Amino acid sequence: MMMTFDFALMAQRDAELMKAITDAMSSPKNEVVCTDIHKLSFFPSKKTVVVTALSETSPFHYKVVPKEISYSAVIKMLNKNWNDICEDEIRNI
């Protein structure tokens, strides 16, 4: 099972992770937020986050498929509005 988007589910149960993600999206500079399995790299100039595995040696690294996700899609994920995500809001990298 792919785990690329599990960071959003984790944030719904973890207030600190939710705050870190929302703070990173509000920041005017590039930010990185990590979970046990994800590295989330935020790019405010493009309003996107790149999701990758924490490292090539981390458990489950093969289940995290690198994606570029728009901030709008991340917000929809965090708000449990998965059906509202448009195809062009998530790209393979």
Side-chain angles (χ1 to χ4, degrees):
M1 178 188 333
M2 187 172 74
M3 299 175 74
T4 303
F5 306 111
D6 284 9
F7 72 89
L9 303 173
M10 296 163 74
Q12 291 168 0
R13 297 185 306 269
D14 182 338
E16 287 183 34
L17 178 57
M18 180 69 83
K19 182 172 178 5
I21 292 171
T22 57
D23 286 352
M25 286 192 295
S26 299
S27 177
K29 59 184 179 167
N30 294 353
E31 300 282 345
V32 174
V33 174
C34 296
T35 71
D36 292 341
I37 60 173
H38 301 95
K39 178 179 175 185
L40 309 171
S41 301
F42 294 83
F43 300 98
S45 62
K46 294 178 16 179
K47 299 281 188 211
T48 61
V49 59
V50 173
V51 181
T52 57
L54 181 61
S55 75
E56 289 298 317
T57 59
S58 65
F60 307 113
H61 73 277
Y62 57 94
K63 291 188 173 194
V64 179
V65 177
K67 301 280 185 183
E68 183 179 54
I69 307 170
S70 70
Y71 281 8
S72 60
V74 172
I75 292 167
K76 292 171 188 175
M77 290 176 189
L78 296 176
N79 290 324
K80 302 179 185 177
N81 295 326
W82 295 85
N83 292 333
D84 295 337
I85 297 171
C86 299
E87 187 175 316
D88 66 339
E89 293 180 294
I90 300 174
R91 291 174 286 290
N92 291 323
I93 54 172

